[in-house]
Amino acid sequence: MMDFPLLSVLILLPIIGGGLLLLCKQNHVLARQLSLVISVTTMLLSFLLYSGFDASSHQMQFVERLSWIATFNIEYYLGIDGFSMPLMILTTISTVLVVIAGWQVIQDRAAQYLAAFLIMEGLMLGVFAALDAILFYLFFEAMLIPLFLVIGIWGGPNRVYATIKFFLYTFFGSVFLLIALLYLQFQAGSFSILDFHNVSLSLTQQIWIFLAFLIAFAVKIPMWPVHTWLPDAHVEAPTGGSVILAAITLKIGGYGLLRFALPITPDASMTLDWLVITLSLIAIVYIGFVALAQSDLKKLIAYSSIAHMGFVTLGLFIVFRIIANDAISLGIGNGEVLAIEGAMVQMISHGFIAAAMFLSVGVLYDRMHTREISAYGGVANAMPKFTALAVFFAMANAGLPGTSGFVGEFMVILAAFQASFWYAFLAATTLILGAAYTLWMVKRVFFGEIANDEVAKLQDINSREMLLLGSLAAIVLLIGLWPDPLLNVMHASVEHLLLQITQSKL
Amino acid sequence: MAFEVPNMLFALPEMLMLALCCMVLLVVAFTGNRQINLVHALSQLSLLLTFLTVFWMMGEGGLTFSETYIKDPLSDVLKLAICLVNMLVLSYSYSYLQARKLLQGEFYVLALFATLGMLVMVSAHHFLTLYLGLELMSLCLYAMVAMQRDSFAATEAGMKYFILGALASGMLLYGMSIIYGVTGELGIQAIAAAIANEELNQTVLSLGIVFLVIGLGFKFGAVPFHMWLPDVYQGAPTAITLFVASAPKIAAFAMLIRILTEGMGDMLGVWRDMLIMLAILSIMLGNILAIAQTNLKRMLAYSTISHVGFLLLGVLAGSQNGYAAALFYTLVYALMTLGGFGMILLLSREGFEAEEIEDFKGLGQRHPWHALMMLLLMFSMAGIPPLAGFYAKLAVIKSVVDVNLLAIAIVAVVMSVIGAYYYLRVVKVMFFDTASERPQIAATTSMQYLLSGNVLAVLLLGLFPGGLFALCARIFS
C-alpha cells in the first residue's frame, strides 16, 4: 500500500478522465455516466487517504517525490498532512455533487461542462497535495482556466464581465505570490515548501513576503476589501460553478495562509496580525449587514460566504493575540489550538453548507428561472420536502447548535475570548446577523402566502435532488454532532504549526 | 605569418544552404511558376537537409575563418530552431499564398536566402560577418513584406520596414565603428579581450554601446524603437508576417548574445541600465497598447513587443541563468508566434482574412478543436501554467529575482496581469459569443495536423519543460 502513488492517481484520474470526456462530444448520456463513474471512483479513492492516515503524526504522509525540472531544482513533490487531507475529501465529495447537480440541468455542451469540472477537481486536489512551491503555483493558476470557462460559457447574462473580473482579480493576487516564492527559493535554495518553513528571514523580508502572500490569498478567500469579484462570479456562475467556488476555491485561500503565511513568516504574521484581524472583523460585521440588504438569493449567500470566511482568517490570526496574552500568564494553553482547529472546521463546514445553499438555490432557479427573493413566497406549500431540507441548511448557515456551522464558529469565538473580549463580542454578532439575514430570507421565500401562480405550480424535488441535499444534510449533521473524526486528524498538525509559529525566525 | 587553412566544416550547413538556395533559384528561373509545387518541395528539402547537417555536425566546435566565424552549442541549437521554424512557416503559408496568387518562386527564393542570412548571423563572431548575415536576412524580409504589390498596406509596410530597418542598420554600423575606433578590433573575441586587458576610453566605449543597443532595439522592436513593428505585422500578408515574426527573432537573439554578452560582457554595468529601460518600457507599452487593438495581427504585434521586453529581462540579469532563460523564452516565443499567426492563416480563406478578433467569434461552437488550440496559445502567451509560456516567464523572472532586481520583477508581473486581459478577450470571443456565420475551414489537412502538433508541443513543453531548460542551461554553462 505504501508504494501505491495514491495522490498522483487522485490528481491524474479526473484530469485524464476530463480529457477523455472532451472526446465524446455530442453523446451526453455517455458523458454523464462516465463523469459520474470517474468522480465517484475519485471520491472512494480519497477515502483511502482518511483510512490510511496516521493521525498521531504531523509529518507529511503519502509522500511522492520525483525530480521534475532539474535545472531549477523543481520537484514533483506531493504529500498531505492534517490540514490538506480533509480539504481533499471535501473536494472529491463536492465534485460528485456537482456532477449529479448538472445531470439534467446542463443540456448545452454537457460533455465539456463535466470535463471542465473533472479537470478542475484534479487541479484542486493538486493544490492541496503539492509540497513544491512551483507545483503548487501551477495547480493554483491552472485551476483558473476551467473555472473561467465554466462561468463564461454556462453562466448568466452578465457572465463575461463576471468571469473576466474573477480571472483578473485572482491572477493579480497570485503574481505577487510567484515573486514571493521565487524570492524564497533564492533564500532557501530549493522550491520545497517544507524547506521554506525552515528558512530564516529578517523581519523586513518577512513583512514583504507576508504582504505578497496576503494579497494572493486574501483575493481568493476573499477578504474585505478585495471581495467584490465573488458576488459577481457567484451570481453569474451556473449552480455547479457556484458550488465549487464556495466549497473549494475559497478554501484554497485559507489553506494558503495555513501552509505559507503562518509557518514561513511567523514574525510578520505576529506583527501584522492586527491588520488581518481588523479585516476579518469588518468582513464578519459589515458584510453581514450587506448580506441583509440583498434581494438576489445567490448574492445573499455569496456575502454570507465572505462573512463566514472572515471567521477562518480571524481564527488563524487571533492565535497571535492569544500567544501574546499567554506569555504573561499561562504558557501554551488551549486557546491557540481552539482557534486554528475552529478555523479548519469552519472551512470544511462552510464548504458543505455553502454547497448545499447554492444547490438549493439551483433547485429553485431551475424551476422558476429567477433568483429574486421577491419573486418567491410560500414555497413551503408547494415543495414541503425541499423546504424541510432548505430550512435545515439555512439554520446551519446561521450557526444553529447541532449543525456543523455551529462548531467552527463557536470554537473561534471561544478562542477569541482568550484574546480580547471585544474581538469575541464583534465576532459573536454574526450569530445575530447571520440568523437575521438567513431567517429573513427563509421567511420571504418559503413561508407566508403563495406569492403567485408560478410558485403554486412548483414541483417538489425529485429523487436525484433529494439524494444530493439529503446526503449533504447528513454530513452537516454528522460534523455538527460528532466533530471528533474531523478534529482528531488535525491535532498533530495543528500542534506542529503552533510550534512553528511560536518559534521566532529572527 | 603562416597561411592557415580554415576549418570549412564548421560552416558546412551554411555552404550547403547556399548551394541549395542557388539550385532553387535556378529551378525558379527556368520553370517560372509552373512547377511551384516542386519549388515548395525543394525548399522544404533544403531546410530539412540543412537541419540534418546541423544535427549531424553537433558537438565539436570552435572559431574558424580567422576568428570571424564560430560554431558552438548556442549556434547549433539556434540553427536547428531556425530551420525547423521556417519549415513550419512554409507549410503553414502554402494554401494562404495560393489563394492570394502570391505563391510564386520569389517567395521561396527570398525565404531561403533570408534563412541563410539568419544562419550566418547565428554563427558570426565578427562585426563584419554579423552585419553581412543581418543585411542578407533583412533585405530579403523587406522584399517579402512588399511582395503583395497591389496592396496599399503591404507596400506601405514594406517601405516603412525598409527605411527604419536601414536606419537601424546605420545605427548598428555607427556603434560598431565607434567600438572599432576605441579597441582597434572588429572580432567579438578580440574586442572582449581588449576591454578586459587594456585601458580604454570608457566614455567613447559607452557611446559605442549606446548605438549598438539602439540598433539591436530596432531589430527586436523594443520600445521606443518599436514603431515599425505593428504596421509591418498588420500590413504584410499574414504568411509573411508569420515569417518575419518568428525565425528572425531567433537570429536577433544570437546577435544580442554575441555582441552584448560575449563581446561586451565586462561592460554589463553600462548596457544593463539601457536594457532595463527598454525592457520595462516594452513590457508596459506593449501590454497596454495591445488592449486597444481590434485587429488580431496588430494585437499580436504589441504582444510581441511585450515578449521582447520579457526576453530582455533575462539578458539584463547578466547571469548564465538569465541568458539561458532568455534563450528558452526566445524558443518558446517562436513556437507560440508560429501557432498564433498559424491560427489566422488556418481560418483565412479565399477573399477573407481572419485577422480581426471578431472573426474568431463563436469558434468554440464552429470548430471546437481549433478553438481549444487557440485557447491554449492565448493562455500560454498570457503566462498561465501549465503551458510553455509560463515557464518562459518564470525563468526570466527568476533570473531577475536572483540578481536582486526585485522592483523590475514586480513591474513585469503586474504588467503581465494587464496583458492577460487582451488574451482573455480572444478566448471570450471564441467561447462566450455565438457565431454569426459558420464558414468551413479552407486550409489543408496536413496544415491542420501540423498546427495542432505545434500547439500540443506548447502544452507538452509546459508539462515537461525540464529537458529544454537543461539544454539551455548547458549552452551557457
Side-chain angles (χ1 to χ4, degrees):
Chain A
M1 202 51 216
M2 285 308 291
D3 295 317
F4 183 68
L6 187 55
L7 290 174
S8 292
V9 170
L10 277 174
I11 294 169
L12 289 179
L13 178 69
I15 293 180
I16 294 171
L20 284 180
L21 276 187
L22 287 177
L23 297 179
C24 41
K25 285 172 194 160
Q26 299 306 327
N27 197 339
H28 291 184
V29 180
L30 178 68
R32 286 188 188 117
Q33 288 166 348
L34 197 61
S35 61
L36 187 65
V37 170
I38 294 167
S39 57
V40 170
T41 317
T42 316
M43 181 177 78
L44 294 177
L45 282 173
S46 75
F47 292 157
L48 291 180
L49 291 180
Y50 189 89
S51 58
F53 191 81
D54 175 11
S56 62
S57 162
H58 70 267
Q59 299 287 341
M60 289 297 164
Q61 305 182 27
F62 297 96
V63 173
E64 292 169 39
R65 195 167 191 173
L66 296 168
S67 176
W68 180 33
I69 306 173
T71 322
F72 294 158
N73 207 2
I74 297 174
E75 292 169 308
Y76 179 78
Y77 185 12
L78 302 175
I80 52 167
D81 63 1
F83 295 126
S84 37
M85 194 267 288
L87 289 166
M88 288 180 85
I89 294 176
L90 173 69
T91 308
T92 55
I93 296 179
S94 307
T95 307
V96 174
L97 297 176
V98 166
V99 168
I100 301 174
W103 201 259
Q104 286 161 353
V105 184
I106 302 291
Q107 291 297 338
D108 174 35
R109 291 184 260 182
Q112 282 106 313
Y113 176 85
L114 295 166
F117 278 102
L118 286 184
I119 292 173
M120 204 153 40
E121 176 185 21
L123 297 172
M124 289 183 299
L125 291 173
V127 168
F128 293 125
L131 289 180
D132 181 279
I134 295 298
L135 192 64
F136 174 88
Y137 188 81
L138 181 142
F139 288 126
F140 188 74
E141 286 284 281
M143 206 190 78
L144 299 180
I145 301 177
L147 199 51
F148 173 77
L149 293 174
V150 163
I151 301 176
I153 298 178
W154 293 276
N158 201 14
R159 59 188 192 275
V160 174
Y161 168 78
T163 194
I164 290 186
K165 186 174 179 181
F166 148 75
F167 193 98
L168 291 181
Y169 257 78
T170 43
F171 189 42
F172 179 79
S174 50
V175 294
F176 292 101
L177 174 67
L178 181 64
I179 297 275
L181 296 179
L182 288 173
Y183 186 76
L184 279 168
Q185 180 270 342
F186 181 47
Q187 301 293 331
S190 99
F191 274 112
S192 157
I193 296 174
L194 299 182
D195 288 348
F196 287 180
H197 288 182
N198 298 323
V199 72
S200 61
L201 298 161
S202 75
L203 187 61
T204 330
Q205 285 173 324
Q206 283 196 34
I207 285 182
W208 285 109
I209 293 171
F210 176 79
L211 288 176
F213 285 151
L214 189 63
I215 294 174
F217 297 127
V219 171
K220 269 260 155 79
I221 288 176
M223 291 171 77
W224 186 87
V226 284
H227 64 282
T228 60
W229 63 270
L230 186 75
D232 286 317
H234 266 316
V235 168
E236 300 303 330
T239 305
S242 289
V243 169
I244 291 295
L245 258 178
I248 302 153
T249 50
L250 308 192
K251 308 303 172 292
I252 288 175
Y255 171 76
L257 289 177
L258 266 175
R259 179 67 78 224
F260 289 90
L262 295 184
I264 296 177
T265 58
D267 303 295
S269 308
M270 186 83 153
T271 316
L272 293 175
D273 62 349
W274 57 271
L275 176 68
V276 184
I277 292 175
T278 313
L279 294 180
S280 310
L281 289 173
I282 292 177
I284 294 171
V285 179
Y286 166 73
I287 298 293
F289 278 110
V290 173
L292 208 49
Q294 297 308 313
S295 60
D296 182 306
L297 278 170
K298 269 189 159 179
K299 261 203 167 131
L300 189 147
I301 304 169
Y303 281 110
S304 109
S305 288
I306 302 170
H308 282 115
M309 289 307 285
F311 266 92
V312 175
T313 46
L314 182 71
L316 293 182
F317 281 83
I318 205 118
V319 170
F320 294 98
R321 284 296 149 109
I322 304 172
I323 292 171
N325 289 350
D326 278 356
I328 310 163
S329 56
L330 289 169
I332 296 262
N334 231 350
E336 298 91 327
V337 178
L338 260 184
I340 292 194
E341 289 188 354
M344 269 304 288
V345 173
Q346 174 75 354
M347 282 210 267
I348 302 288
S349 128
H350 176 258
F352 287 118
I353 297 174
M357 295 289 276
F358 280 114
L359 287 172
S360 304
V361 174
V363 166
L364 286 176
Y365 183 80
D366 293 340
R367 289 167 172 72
M368 299 268 289
H369 298 287
T370 174
R371 292 181 308 260
E372 286 298 314
I373 296 178
S374 54
Y376 295 92
V379 173
N381 299 314
M383 304 173 75
K385 280 189 278 182
F386 172 63
T387 304
L389 284 165
V391 171
F392 172 75
F393 292 128
M395 292 299 180
N397 198 40
L400 186 79
T403 64
S404 66
F406 174 74
V407 182
E409 288 180 13
F410 187 66
M411 287 168 84
V412 173
I413 294 173
L414 265 188
F417 266 113
Q418 297 199 20
S420 149
F421 168 75
W422 289 107
Y423 293 157
F425 175 78
L426 286 171
T429 54
T430 195
L431 293 174
I432 302 163
L433 278 172
Y437 58 71
T438 321
L439 296 183
W440 192 33
M441 183 267 287
V442 166
K443 177 199 158 260
R444 284 180 292 168
V445 172
F446 292 100
F447 300 126
E449 297 292 307
I450 291 183
N452 49 45
D453 292 349
E454 285 179 66
V455 173
K457 277 185 257 165
L458 282 176
Q459 297 278 319
D460 208 343
I461 46 176
N462 56 30
S463 50
R464 177 181 64 89
E465 291 159 334
M466 190 72 199
L467 173 74
L468 272 181
L469 297 176
S471 50
L472 274 170
I475 297 172
V476 169
L477 205 58
L478 185 73
I479 300 179
L481 295 174
W482 191 39
D484 277 357
L486 179 58
L487 292 173
N488 285 340
V489 294
M490 302 182 205
H491 282 317
S493 298
V494 170
E495 272 161 22
H496 179 66
L497 178 73
L498 283 172
L499 207 65
Q500 283 178 315
I501 61 178
T502 43
Q503 273 171 350
S504 170
K505 282 191 169 184
L506 297 178
Chain B
M1 208 166 107
F3 180 74
E4 216 180 314
V5 180
N7 189 347
M8 300 270 191
L9 273 181
F10 286 173
L12 186 63
E14 286 78 11
M15 288 190 274
L16 178 73
M17 189 75 205
L18 179 63
L20 292 165
C21 283
C22 293
M23 181 191 72
V24 173
L25 180 64
L26 282 178
V27 172
V28 170
F30 281 102
T31 62
N33 289 329
R34 278 163 293 153
Q35 297 288 338
I36 200 68
N37 284 336
L38 174 72
V39 175
H40 179 82
L42 279 177
S43 309
Q44 292 284 32
L45 187 70
S46 311
L47 290 169
L48 183 67
L49 282 176
T50 315
F51 180 89
L52 292 175
T53 317
V54 177
F55 191 75
W56 174 58
M57 304 270 301
M58 264 175 98
E60 190 203 358
L63 287 164
T64 180
F65 296 117
S66 316
E67 301 191 348
T68 60
Y69 217 73
I70 190 170
K71 177 182 178 305
D72 58 0
L74 176 67
S75 71
D76 286 342
V77 169
L78 291 182
K79 281 178 197 172
L80 289 179
I82 288 171
C83 291
L84 192 68
V85 165
N86 282 343
M87 274 192 274
L88 284 174
V89 169
L90 291 190
S91 320
Y92 290 179
S93 313
Y94 184 83
S95 24
Y96 179 90
L97 291 172
Q98 195 176 37
R100 279 156 196 76
K101 303 207 165 41
L102 288 171
L103 195 68
Q104 296 157 353
E106 291 91 323
F107 171 74
Y108 290 102
V109 174
L110 288 170
L112 287 184
F113 273 104
T115 311
L116 177 62
M118 293 175 212
L119 297 183
V120 173
M121 267 170 90
V122 164
S123 264
H125 216 246
H126 188 273
F127 277 164
L128 287 182
T129 26
L130 199 60
Y131 191 72
L132 185 77
L134 175 66
E135 285 307 288
L136 180 55
M137 176 190 85
S138 302
L139 286 171
C140 294
L141 294 183
Y142 303 146
M144 286 170 87
V145 170
M147 227 171 63
Q148 199 173 20
R149 275 167 304 185
D150 47 1
S151 155
F152 183 74
T155 40
E156 187 196 322
M159 203 62 197
K160 214 171 213 165
Y161 194 21
F162 175 66
I163 292 176
L164 287 175
L167 190 68
S169 299
M171 294 281 184
L172 202 64
L173 270 187
Y174 194 48
M176 288 174 178
S177 66
I178 294 177
I179 301 290
Y180 179 66
V182 190
T183 61
E185 299 287 353
L186 281 172
I188 304 276
Q189 203 177 33
I191 291 171
I195 291 175
N197 302 325
E198 293 170 30
E199 289 283 319
L200 299 172
N201 186 332
Q202 295 293 312
T203 320
V204 183
L205 195 58
S206 306
L207 187 71
I209 294 177
V210 170
F211 280 101
L212 287 177
V213 169
I214 292 176
L216 289 169
F218 259 115
K219 292 295 173 193
F220 265 106
V223 180
F225 312 112
H226 66 287
M227 276 71 156
W228 59 273
L229 202 139
D231 292 331
V232 170
Y233 276 30
Q234 189 183 5
T238 311
I240 309 290
T241 311
L242 175 69
F243 191 84
V244 174
S246 47
K249 292 280 188 273
I250 302 178
F253 174 75
M255 185 162 77
L256 184 75
I257 291 291
R258 300 286 185 217
I259 295 182
L260 288 187
T261 72
E262 292 182 9
M264 316 280 167
D266 289 341
M267 304 295 287
L268 176 67
V270 176
W271 53 259
R272 175 186 270 172
D273 292 345
M274 293 185 236
L275 285 197
I276 289 178
M277 292 307 292
L278 292 185
I280 293 293
L281 284 175
S282 301
I283 294 174
M284 288 172 76
L285 212 75
N287 276 325
I288 291 170
L289 288 183
I291 293 175
Q293 307 308 323
T294 55
N295 183 295
L296 186 59
K297 277 162 82 180
R298 213 175 167 80
M299 190 200 97
L300 287 176
Y302 282 106
S303 114
T304 297
I305 295 174
S306 79
H307 285 307
V308 165
F310 273 100
L311 190 161
L312 293 178
L313 283 186
V315 178
L316 68 84
S319 61
Q320 284 166 349
N321 283 340
Y323 303 146
L327 172 60
F328 186 86
Y329 205 107
T330 311
L331 297 177
V332 169
Y333 161 80
L335 207 57
M336 295 190 302
T337 306
L338 271 179
F341 285 106
M343 218 47 156
I344 302 179
L345 291 176
L346 178 85
L347 296 181
S348 299
R349 54 187 184 278
E350 208 169 335
F352 176 75
E353 307 276 342
E355 60 175 57
E356 295 295 323
I357 296 179
E358 287 296 300
D359 295 335
F360 282 71
K361 220 171 176 177
L363 192 67
Q365 287 166 307
R366 284 189 273 149
H367 304 290
W369 176 255
H370 297 308
L372 180 68
M373 295 293 110
M374 188 69 176
L375 170 108
L376 292 177
L377 282 171
M378 288 296 118
F379 279 119
S380 176
M381 288 192 188
I384 310 284
L387 296 152
F390 165 70
Y391 296 94
K393 286 206 167 70
L394 175 78
V396 291
I397 289 171
K398 179 179 178 298
S399 64
V400 173
V401 170
D402 283 353
V403 293
N404 240 330
L405 295 168
L406 275 175
I408 297 174
I410 290 172
V411 173
V413 293
V414 170
M415 283 298 142
S416 74
V417 177
I418 296 178
Y421 172 75
Y422 58 85
Y423 297 120
L424 286 185
R425 206 176 46 176
V426 177
V427 175
K428 173 228 151 197
V429 167
M430 288 192 302
F431 284 95
F432 307 164
D433 294 353
T434 38
S436 41
E437 48 176 11
R438 293 171 173 269
Q440 290 299 309
I441 297 255
T444 57
T445 26
S446 65
M447 180 205 168
Q448 299 188 27
Y449 280 121
L450 276 175
L451 190 61
S452 304
N454 179 344
V455 179
L456 291 178
V458 172
L459 179 63
L460 272 181
L461 262 183
L463 295 174
F464 306 102
L468 188 58
F469 268 130
L471 182 70
C472 294
R474 205 160 55 234
I475 287 173
F476 286 101
S477 63

